[in-house]
Amino acid sequence: MTTNNWAQHIEKFLFLLKDGFFELPYLSNSPQVMLDSLIKLPIIKHNPLQQLIVTDNAFWKGTMRYRTIEDGLWILETNLEMNENILAKATYTQDYIKDYYILSFSVFEYKFPVNDSEIILLSTCWTFYKPDTEVATYFYKGTKGKFFNIAMSREWVDKNLRSDKFCKKGVLESFFNSQKGFYTWLDIAPKAHTLSKKISKILESEDQIDLNNAELKKNTLKLITEFFNNAFEDSRIEDNISLSNLDYYNVAKAEKMILHNLQSAFLGIDQIASEVNTSPTKLKNNFKTVFGFSMLQYHKEKNMLLAKQLLQNSEIEVQIIAVITGFESASKFTAAFKKRFGELPSVFREN
């Protein structure tokens, strides 16, 4: 596929329904190519003066603000609200250089049903992917939120990111290489929430686009630093394992299955691998490469984070939260919660 036949590709694959999700393909060679591919969609409106694209259609509505901070460094802020289940697919064209790393910080809201009502909960994560890595991201109907994509060219990375600033010398030089790679962290950097709000405020000042670049650069660099200061709690960056694009796609499907069944007992590696159509051992190893957790640990961690938010944002009894998060008893839930967060659920709620 080339940029010249992208329009024909879009006609064939845009909003193709597969496994309950409508597909949204886009090109990811560089920020400019990404924008060009999105602008060609028939449902997109583009305002180049405001550096803004807008859409409001039957599948989703949203905005994307983009800025070139300096040569090789972009930031793109995307707000989305899903009217249907959407699978966003990062793909690559063969006639344009694949030269950008993407660091993404996202905060999404979703509606959690409780009895006859709903409460709003948050899902926060970081992702990092290297050039030529095809990324599949599942968005569920009814979710809405914001994510920031920081796009960094190889040349910019070589000039500006020094491994001894964040970790022992040589680790980042090895990490930033030509291999594929896609990694996800949960909410590892508390300061990122404050920084992202500052960045949003700058990007949304449409009448001061040229005046705010220095402040935008400062906060974007702080966001990058906040990520790398917290990203070495596990060994994934140091191990620098590269998988195939098919492996990354299978891991994304496995995560989708886990998240869709959080309130039930863990499905089991064999069942998930059978649904994904790969071997249990391969999927187990690949999942840990991407997420830093085993599939069972990931299921438990997401349930713990769910429980934490239910304690913070609702008056649901602890016994009911235990059931919601898949525990056999309140006592087992209480023990697991204290082990994870250092205090009893009742004490956490009071504080």
Side-chain angles (χ1 to χ4, degrees):
M1 181 179 59
T2 67
T3 50
N4 290 331
N5 61 23
W6 175 248
Q8 290 77 20
H9 179 84
I10 281 292
E11 286 181 10
K12 184 177 180 180
F13 292 101
L14 180 63
F15 298 137
L16 177 71
L17 181 61
K18 185 177 181 181
D19 298 328
F21 284 77
F22 293 95
E23 294 192 1
L24 171 62
Y26 62 93
L27 295 177
S28 199
N29 296 60
S30 72
Q32 188 62 61
V33 172
M34 181 189 296
L35 286 170
D36 290 343
S37 71
L38 291 172
I39 290 167
K40 289 180 180 178
L41 298 179
I43 52 176
I44 293 291
K45 295 181 180 179
H46 181 216
N47 186 327
L49 293 179
Q50 294 181 354
Q51 298 181 47
L52 171 70
I53 64 174
V54 179
T55 187
D56 188 352
N57 58 79
F59 298 92
W60 95 97
K61 62 181 178 181
T63 61
M64 176 188 285
R65 291 179 169 84
Y66 58 91
R67 301 285 187 275
T68 306
I69 297 175
E70 61 187 22
D71 286 345
L73 178 64
W74 289 58
I75 188 162
L76 304 93
E77 177 208 63
T78 304
N79 289 273
L80 290 176
E81 185 170 347
M82 298 301 170
N83 299 324
E84 299 289 347
N85 292 339
I86 298 292
L87 171 58
K89 297 179 70 174
T91 59
Y92 293 82
T93 179
Q94 301 305 313
D95 63 339
Y96 198 93
I97 191 169
K98 307 162 188 175
D99 195 35
Y100 274 79
Y101 304 92
I102 306 292
L103 173 62
S104 180
F105 173 64
S106 65
V107 182
F108 269 78
E109 297 179 355
Y110 64 98
K111 296 176 181 178
F112 188 84
V114 178
N115 298 326
D116 296 327
S117 62
E118 295 175 326
I119 61 175
I120 302 298
L121 300 179
L122 296 178
S123 177
T124 303
C125 75
W126 290 86
T127 59
F128 187 99
Y129 63 97
K130 301 179 185 180
D132 206 21
T133 306
E134 295 182 357
V135 177
T137 306
Y138 290 89
F139 296 99
Y140 286 89
K141 180 179 179 179
T143 60
K144 65 178 181 178
K146 177 179 295 187
F147 59 91
F148 300 85
N149 282 338
I150 302 172
M152 303 168 282
S153 71
R154 293 184 189 278
E155 183 178 359
W156 188 90
V157 166
D158 290 341
K159 289 180 179 179
N160 293 277
L161 293 183
R162 300 288 181 261
S163 77
D164 55 355
K165 179 179 179 181
F166 303 104
C167 58
K168 61 185 180 182
K169 191 167 180 60
V171 171
L172 284 189
E173 282 86 350
S174 175
F175 181 71
F176 287 111
N177 59 25
S178 59
Q179 292 180 304
K180 294 180 175 67
F182 174 64
Y183 310 89
T184 294
W185 290 260
L186 299 182
D187 196 3
I188 59 169
K191 294 180 182 178
H193 294 269
T194 300
L195 289 169
S196 65
K197 289 178 181 177
K198 291 180 180 179
I199 291 171
S200 282
K201 187 175 181 180
I202 295 169
L203 291 173
E204 291 165 11
S205 300
E206 296 173 352
D207 57 339
Q208 296 181 326
I209 288 177
D210 296 328
L211 301 178
N212 291 331
N213 196 60
E215 191 70 14
L216 181 60
K217 178 180 178 180
K218 181 179 75 172
N219 284 287
T220 300
L221 293 178
K222 284 184 178 180
L223 195 60
I224 294 171
T225 301
E226 179 70 4
F227 167 74
F228 279 111
N229 281 341
N230 290 277
F232 295 95
E233 294 180 358
D234 57 64
S235 63
R236 283 178 292 162
I237 289 179
E238 188 169 358
D239 292 344
N240 194 25
I241 297 173
S242 178
L243 307 178
S244 71
N245 280 327
L246 177 59
D247 289 335
Y248 288 120
Y249 185 57
N250 286 339
V251 167
K253 289 193 290 185
E255 187 209 14
K256 181 193 72 172
M257 290 183 63
I258 293 171
L259 295 178
H260 192 66
N261 293 278
L262 270 186
Q263 297 176 52
S264 306
F266 177 59
L267 292 173
I269 296 171
D270 289 343
Q271 181 178 341
I272 296 173
S274 176
E275 293 286 340
V276 173
N277 196 28
T278 189
S279 77
T281 299
K282 184 176 184 180
L283 182 61
K284 178 175 66 175
N285 293 335
N286 291 348
F287 193 94
K288 191 160 188 178
T289 293
V290 172
F291 288 98
F293 292 96
S294 70
M295 284 184 276
L296 175 59
Q297 289 171 329
Y298 186 78
H299 181 275
K300 290 180 177 179
E301 178 67 9
K302 293 296 286 190
N303 263 332
M304 282 289 95
L305 295 174
L306 170 59
K308 183 180 179 182
Q309 289 202 55
L310 289 173
L311 289 166
Q312 286 175 322
N313 300 317
S314 77
E315 297 180 358
I316 302 173
E317 295 178 2
V318 171
Q319 292 90 335
I320 304 301
I321 293 177
V323 174
I324 289 173
T325 52
F327 284 86
E328 296 177 359
S329 67
S331 60
K332 289 185 177 180
F333 165 70
T334 297
F337 190 92
K338 184 176 181 181
K339 182 178 180 181
R340 173 63 181 85
F341 297 111
E343 56 188 358
L344 296 172
S346 56
V347 175
F348 176 82
R349 173 171 273 171
E350 288 175 3
N351 293 338

